[in-house]
Amino acid sequence: MDDQLNPAARRARANETDAARDGAAAMTDALYHSTFMRACRRESVPYTPVWLMRQAGRYMKEYRDVRAKHTFLEMCKQPEVASEVTVYAAHRLGVDAAIIFADILLIIEPMGLDLEFAKGEGPVIHNPVRASADVDRVREVESSEVLASLGYVMDAIRITRRELKPDLPLIGFCGAPFTLASYICEGGSSKNYITTKRLMYNDAGAWHELLARISRALALYLNAQIDAGAQAVQIFDSWVGCLSPDDYREYVLPHTRSVIENVKPGVPVIHFGTGTATLLELIREAGGDVLGFDWRVSLDEAWERVGRDTAVMGNLDPVALLANVGHVRAEAKRILDQAQGRDGHIFNLGHGILPETPVGTVISLVEAVHELSQR
Ligand code: CP3
């Protein structure tokens, strides 16, 4: 019977069993019954839980002060520093979950790619994959290598779990196979994904091999984060919205699905993408216990399309936080009204907080969500 369910439904079923308690290594009663974890399982909550992508970032003075002393990669690689900014942001904002301070691109280093965060430029990969032959030099990552070369992420998770309020869940994360492949092929951020799509269309064999290698590494990485103390994991497919539905189905869906299916049973997976209004049904097919989308689609319509038996996350436009607090409250209310107090809504932005955002407005948003969603 289970074979006939799609992955999301299969995982949702797994969550109804004791596996939900066993999967996450650091699960306590307080964490298991937190509003965030209950919403992931579509159980009733006293108010809608909220957290914000990029909640620890440059919009916060305390982050900028720490950042002034380190490069971004140094911050990621020093577990005490990564943990400090994670915990500070979550406690200061009063959100219902923390997300470990790290980056989706860290995993590409053990895969043999030369990563730099250049000043003012964002990420640069100095030896991108440009042709089929380059795929062979993308290294297969073994479990022991994930633990060794990315051990700083797991150390940061262990420290953070100790420092966080005991009922505040910690989210681990990774990039999705497509979004990571786009950085690996383009050598950085991109507008038209020309190199990525050229490989995809010209040599489907090499493309699938690249995504399969990435996907195997990602599953190991997510499970290592769970073993270190993450209660849930999020997969960021930030740039998947550049694909047609047919291309997503053929070139991407099986790989994302394999990552999600290989996450320890019972640990909620949040599957997030932007620009996915035309892809929602396929994203649901790829799986995830919670599906996250941006503001370009309305929450009620998106929830209807992915199915009411899935939890959802979203979806305020991060730019709304640059408007006055009255507007922010009204927008929060609009989204909460669309959710109608149904079980399984986690409030978030549709993408990360922008550096220009006033901290006070972010705190007002968190308060507004809690207040306006009281059951
Ligand atoms: O959400 C959080 O608070 C956790 C930390 C986090 C970061 N990056 C910290 C970061 C998370 C979850 C990410 C994920 C990430 N990284 C994504 C997916 C989410 C998204 O925004 O779509 C992507 C695409 C990346 C890759 C990346 N990292 C880019 C393109 C950049 C440069 C652009 C920018 O905003 O500066 C980064 C750097 C980065 N990652 C910063 C932070 C706080 C800024 C670094 C700095 O302090 O200079």
Side-chain angles (χ1 to χ4, degrees), residues 90-118:
H91 289 173
R92 170 87 201 277
L93 300 177
V95 285
D96 300 288
I99 181 162
I100 192 64
F101 184 82
D103 199 87
I104 61 164
L105 294 174
L106 301 173
I107 184 110
I108 73 174
E109 286 192 318
M111 301 187 84
L113 292 142
D114 183 6
L115 172 67
E116 185 192 350
F117 282 87

mmCIF file of all heavy atoms in Angstrom, residues 90-118:
data_model
loop_
_atom_site.group_PDB
_atom_site.id
_atom_site.type_symbol
_atom_site.label_atom_id
_atom_site.label_comp_id
_atom_site.label_asym_id
_atom_site.label_seq_id
_atom_site.Cartn_x
_atom_site.Cartn_y
_atom_site.Cartn_z
ATOM 1 N N ALA A 90 17.894 33.864 17.218
ATOM 2 C CA ALA A 90 16.638 33.166 17.547
ATOM 3 C C ALA A 90 16.048 33.707 18.848
ATOM 4 O O ALA A 90 14.840 33.965 18.940
ATOM 5 C CB ALA A 90 16.876 31.661 17.643
ATOM 6 N N HIS A 91 16.893 33.907 19.866
ATOM 7 C CA HIS A 91 16.379 34.387 21.154
ATOM 8 C C HIS A 91 15.941 35.846 21.064
ATOM 9 O O HIS A 91 14.913 36.235 21.608
ATOM 10 C CB HIS A 91 17.437 34.203 22.243
ATOM 11 C CG HIS A 91 17.656 32.755 22.616
ATOM 12 N ND1 HIS A 91 18.649 32.333 23.457
ATOM 13 C CD2 HIS A 91 16.993 31.622 22.246
ATOM 14 C CE1 HIS A 91 18.586 31.017 23.600
ATOM 15 N NE2 HIS A 91 17.604 30.557 22.865
ATOM 16 N N ARG A 92 16.699 36.637 20.331
ATOM 17 C CA ARG A 92 16.367 38.064 20.221
ATOM 18 C C ARG A 92 15.026 38.277 19.515
ATOM 19 O O ARG A 92 14.227 39.132 19.892
ATOM 20 C CB ARG A 92 17.484 38.765 19.433
ATOM 21 C CG ARG A 92 17.215 40.188 19.020
ATOM 22 C CD ARG A 92 17.623 41.159 20.118
ATOM 23 N NE ARG A 92 16.956 42.468 20.006
ATOM 24 C CZ ARG A 92 17.360 43.461 19.218
ATOM 25 N NH1 ARG A 92 18.426 43.300 18.457
ATOM 26 N NH2 ARG A 92 16.716 44.595 19.184
ATOM 27 N N LEU A 93 14.776 37.491 18.472
ATOM 28 C CA LEU A 93 13.556 37.688 17.687
ATOM 29 C C LEU A 93 12.334 37.034 18.331
ATOM 30 O O LEU A 93 11.206 37.372 17.998
ATOM 31 C CB LEU A 93 13.729 37.130 16.265
ATOM 32 C CG LEU A 93 14.846 37.736 15.416
ATOM 33 C CD1 LEU A 93 14.927 37.031 14.063
ATOM 34 C CD2 LEU A 93 14.637 39.239 15.203
ATOM 35 N N GLY A 94 12.563 36.060 19.203
ATOM 36 C CA GLY A 94 11.432 35.350 19.809
ATOM 37 C C GLY A 94 10.741 34.402 18.843
ATOM 38 O O GLY A 94 9.548 34.119 18.980
ATOM 39 N N VAL A 95 11.489 33.901 17.865
ATOM 40 C CA VAL A 95 10.916 32.972 16.883
ATOM 41 C C VAL A 95 10.763 31.574 17.477
ATOM 42 O O VAL A 95 11.275 31.290 18.560
ATOM 43 C CB VAL A 95 11.799 32.901 15.609
ATOM 44 C CG1 VAL A 95 11.624 34.148 14.765
ATOM 45 C CG2 VAL A 95 13.269 32.701 15.977
ATOM 46 N N ASP A 96 10.085 30.700 16.733
ATOM 47 C CA ASP A 96 9.748 29.363 17.237
ATOM 48 C C ASP A 96 10.693 28.278 16.740
ATOM 49 O O ASP A 96 10.457 27.091 17.025
ATOM 50 C CB ASP A 96 8.299 29.030 16.851
ATOM 51 C CG ASP A 96 7.347 30.048 17.452
ATOM 52 O OD1 ASP A 96 7.147 30.006 18.672
ATOM 53 O OD2 ASP A 96 6.843 30.933 16.713
ATOM 54 N N ALA A 97 11.725 28.646 15.995
ATOM 55 C CA ALA A 97 12.759 27.682 15.605
ATOM 56 C C ALA A 97 14.025 28.460 15.282
ATOM 57 O O ALA A 97 13.967 29.636 14.890
ATOM 58 C CB ALA A 97 12.325 26.866 14.374
ATOM 59 N N ALA A 98 15.160 27.807 15.471
ATOM 60 C CA ALA A 98 16.449 28.377 15.067
ATOM 61 C C ALA A 98 16.910 27.619 13.827
ATOM 62 O O ALA A 98 16.516 26.464 13.617
ATOM 63 C CB ALA A 98 17.467 28.219 16.190
ATOM 64 N N ILE A 99 17.718 28.272 12.986
ATOM 65 C CA ILE A 99 18.342 27.555 11.859
ATOM 66 C C ILE A 99 19.843 27.735 12.005
ATOM 67 O O ILE A 99 20.314 28.843 12.302
ATOM 68 C CB ILE A 99 17.830 28.050 10.494
ATOM 69 C CG1 ILE A 99 18.491 27.254 9.362
ATOM 70 C CG2 ILE A 99 18.035 29.552 10.301
ATOM 71 C CD1 ILE A 99 17.776 27.342 8.017
ATOM 72 N N ILE A 100 20.575 26.637 11.847
ATOM 73 C CA ILE A 100 22.007 26.697 12.095
ATOM 74 C C ILE A 100 22.672 27.664 11.113
ATOM 75 O O ILE A 100 22.345 27.684 9.923
ATOM 76 C CB ILE A 100 22.666 25.293 12.021
ATOM 77 C CG1 ILE A 100 24.090 25.330 12.554
ATOM 78 C CG2 ILE A 100 22.611 24.705 10.619
ATOM 79 C CD1 ILE A 100 24.209 25.668 14.019
ATOM 80 N N PHE A 101 23.577 28.482 11.587
ATOM 81 C CA PHE A 101 24.297 29.420 10.736
ATOM 82 C C PHE A 101 25.336 28.643 9.926
ATOM 83 O O PHE A 101 26.263 28.052 10.489
ATOM 84 C CB PHE A 101 24.967 30.519 11.563
ATOM 85 C CG PHE A 101 25.617 31.545 10.706
ATOM 86 C CD1 PHE A 101 24.878 32.571 10.152
ATOM 87 C CD2 PHE A 101 26.958 31.457 10.389
ATOM 88 C CE1 PHE A 101 25.465 33.504 9.316
ATOM 89 C CE2 PHE A 101 27.551 32.389 9.546
ATOM 90 C CZ PHE A 101 26.799 33.410 9.015
ATOM 91 N N ALA A 102 25.169 28.620 8.623
ATOM 92 C CA ALA A 102 26.058 27.882 7.712
ATOM 93 C C ALA A 102 25.736 28.378 6.314
ATOM 94 O O ALA A 102 25.163 29.465 6.170
ATOM 95 C CB ALA A 102 25.815 26.385 7.831
ATOM 96 N N ASP A 103 26.087 27.625 5.285
ATOM 97 C CA ASP A 103 25.717 28.022 3.928
ATOM 98 C C ASP A 103 25.494 26.778 3.080
ATOM 99 O O ASP A 103 26.144 25.755 3.296
ATOM 100 C CB ASP A 103 26.793 28.895 3.281
ATOM 101 C CG ASP A 103 26.222 29.665 2.102
ATOM 102 O OD1 ASP A 103 25.681 30.770 2.320
ATOM 103 O OD2 ASP A 103 26.267 29.144 0.980
ATOM 104 N N ILE A 104 24.599 26.884 2.094
ATOM 105 C CA ILE A 104 24.331 25.724 1.232
ATOM 106 C C ILE A 104 25.573 25.316 0.436
ATOM 107 O O ILE A 104 25.651 24.197 -0.038
ATOM 108 C CB ILE A 104 23.153 25.973 0.256
ATOM 109 C CG1 ILE A 104 23.440 27.146 -0.685
ATOM 110 C CG2 ILE A 104 21.853 26.187 0.995
ATOM 111 C CD1 ILE A 104 22.505 27.196 -1.893
ATOM 112 N N LEU A 105 26.535 26.248 0.269
ATOM 113 C CA LEU A 105 27.672 25.933 -0.610
ATOM 114 C C LEU A 105 28.821 25.221 0.094
ATOM 115 O O LEU A 105 29.762 24.764 -0.560
ATOM 116 C CB LEU A 105 28.173 27.226 -1.268
ATOM 117 C CG LEU A 105 27.153 27.854 -2.229
ATOM 118 C CD1 LEU A 105 27.636 29.203 -2.731
ATOM 119 C CD2 LEU A 105 26.887 26.928 -3.410
ATOM 120 N N LEU A 106 28.771 25.094 1.420
ATOM 121 C CA LEU A 106 29.902 24.489 2.135
ATOM 122 C C LEU A 106 30.190 23.073 1.642
ATOM 123 O O LEU A 106 31.342 22.657 1.554
ATOM 124 C CB LEU A 106 29.629 24.481 3.647
ATOM 125 C CG LEU A 106 29.385 25.867 4.271
ATOM 126 C CD1 LEU A 106 28.958 25.733 5.722
ATOM 127 C CD2 LEU A 106 30.641 26.734 4.154
ATOM 128 N N ILE A 107 29.162 22.337 1.285
ATOM 129 C CA ILE A 107 29.324 20.930 0.884
ATOM 130 C C ILE A 107 30.130 20.778 -0.403
ATOM 131 O O ILE A 107 30.705 19.724 -0.668
ATOM 132 C CB ILE A 107 27.933 20.252 0.719
ATOM 133 C CG1 ILE A 107 28.057 18.761 0.402
ATOM 134 C CG2 ILE A 107 27.121 20.867 -0.424
ATOM 135 C CD1 ILE A 107 27.646 17.852 1.475
ATOM 136 N N ILE A 108 30.181 21.840 -1.206
ATOM 137 C CA ILE A 108 30.898 21.664 -2.477
ATOM 138 C C ILE A 108 32.417 21.628 -2.271
ATOM 139 O O ILE A 108 33.135 21.146 -3.136
ATOM 140 C CB ILE A 108 30.498 22.704 -3.557
ATOM 141 C CG1 ILE A 108 31.071 24.085 -3.257
ATOM 142 C CG2 ILE A 108 28.975 22.749 -3.728
ATOM 143 C CD1 ILE A 108 30.821 25.084 -4.386
ATOM 144 N N GLU A 109 32.907 22.085 -1.131
ATOM 145 C CA GLU A 109 34.365 22.016 -0.884
ATOM 146 C C GLU A 109 34.870 20.574 -0.851
ATOM 147 O O GLU A 109 35.787 20.241 -1.608
ATOM 148 C CB GLU A 109 34.736 22.792 0.384
ATOM 149 C CG GLU A 109 34.670 24.300 0.178
ATOM 150 C CD GLU A 109 35.313 25.111 1.302
ATOM 151 O OE1 GLU A 109 35.107 24.747 2.490
ATOM 152 O OE2 GLU A 109 36.011 26.090 1.003
ATOM 153 N N PRO A 110 34.288 19.695 -0.006
ATOM 154 C CA PRO A 110 34.757 18.293 -0.056
ATOM 155 C C PRO A 110 34.489 17.620 -1.404
ATOM 156 O O PRO A 110 35.081 16.580 -1.702
ATOM 157 C CB PRO A 110 34.006 17.603 1.090
ATOM 158 C CG PRO A 110 32.912 18.517 1.491
ATOM 159 C CD PRO A 110 33.338 19.910 1.099
ATOM 160 N N MET A 111 33.618 18.191 -2.229
ATOM 161 C CA MET A 111 33.396 17.626 -3.573
ATOM 162 C C MET A 111 34.488 18.084 -4.546
ATOM 163 O O MET A 111 34.440 17.755 -5.737
ATOM 164 C CB MET A 111 32.012 18.018 -4.098
ATOM 165 C CG MET A 111 30.892 17.529 -3.191
ATOM 166 S SD MET A 111 29.254 17.798 -3.877
ATOM 167 C CE MET A 111 29.130 16.350 -4.909
ATOM 168 N N GLY A 112 35.448 18.853 -4.061
ATOM 169 C CA GLY A 112 36.596 19.226 -4.891
ATOM 170 C C GLY A 112 36.444 20.570 -5.580
ATOM 171 O O GLY A 112 37.229 20.902 -6.475
ATOM 172 N N LEU A 113 35.445 21.361 -5.178
ATOM 173 C CA LEU A 113 35.253 22.665 -5.810
ATOM 174 C C LEU A 113 35.833 23.747 -4.912
ATOM 175 O O LEU A 113 35.752 23.680 -3.690
ATOM 176 C CB LEU A 113 33.775 22.882 -6.119
ATOM 177 C CG LEU A 113 33.362 21.887 -7.216
ATOM 178 C CD1 LEU A 113 31.978 21.334 -6.993
ATOM 179 C CD2 LEU A 113 33.503 22.510 -8.597
ATOM 180 N N ASP A 114 36.422 24.743 -5.576
ATOM 181 C CA ASP A 114 37.205 25.754 -4.884
ATOM 182 C C ASP A 114 36.320 26.982 -4.651
ATOM 183 O O ASP A 114 36.095 27.775 -5.556
ATOM 184 C CB ASP A 114 38.414 26.074 -5.782
ATOM 185 C CG ASP A 114 39.347 27.068 -5.141
ATOM 186 O OD1 ASP A 114 39.123 27.425 -3.968
ATOM 187 O OD2 ASP A 114 40.285 27.498 -5.836
ATOM 188 N N LEU A 115 35.827 27.124 -3.422
ATOM 189 C CA LEU A 115 34.805 28.124 -3.077
ATOM 190 C C LEU A 115 35.412 29.345 -2.398
ATOM 191 O O LEU A 115 36.242 29.216 -1.511
ATOM 192 C CB LEU A 115 33.789 27.477 -2.124
ATOM 193 C CG LEU A 115 32.738 28.384 -1.479
ATOM 194 C CD1 LEU A 115 31.765 28.930 -2.526
ATOM 195 C CD2 LEU A 115 31.973 27.625 -0.394
ATOM 196 N N GLU A 116 34.955 30.513 -2.825
ATOM 197 C CA GLU A 116 35.351 31.745 -2.156
ATOM 198 C C GLU A 116 34.137 32.674 -2.075
ATOM 199 O O GLU A 116 33.321 32.712 -3.002
ATOM 200 C CB GLU A 116 36.465 32.435 -2.975
ATOM 201 C CG GLU A 116 37.027 33.664 -2.304
ATOM 202 C CD GLU A 116 37.900 34.508 -3.236
ATOM 203 O OE1 GLU A 116 38.227 34.046 -4.356
ATOM 204 O OE2 GLU A 116 38.230 35.638 -2.843
ATOM 205 N N PHE A 117 33.998 33.383 -0.957
ATOM 206 C CA PHE A 117 32.990 34.442 -0.904
ATOM 207 C C PHE A 117 33.742 35.748 -1.098
ATOM 208 O O PHE A 117 34.361 36.267 -0.177
ATOM 209 C CB PHE A 117 32.222 34.418 0.422
ATOM 210 C CG PHE A 117 31.173 33.345 0.448
ATOM 211 C CD1 PHE A 117 31.488 32.054 0.840
ATOM 212 C CD2 PHE A 117 29.870 33.611 0.039
ATOM 213 C CE1 PHE A 117 30.526 31.052 0.841
ATOM 214 C CE2 PHE A 117 28.900 32.607 0.038
ATOM 215 C CZ PHE A 117 29.235 31.333 0.446
ATOM 216 N N ALA A 118 33.735 36.245 -2.324
ATOM 217 C CA ALA A 118 34.510 37.440 -2.651
ATOM 218 C C ALA A 118 33.744 38.668 -2.173
ATOM 219 O O ALA A 118 32.511 38.698 -2.213
ATOM 220 C CB ALA A 118 34.732 37.506 -4.153
#
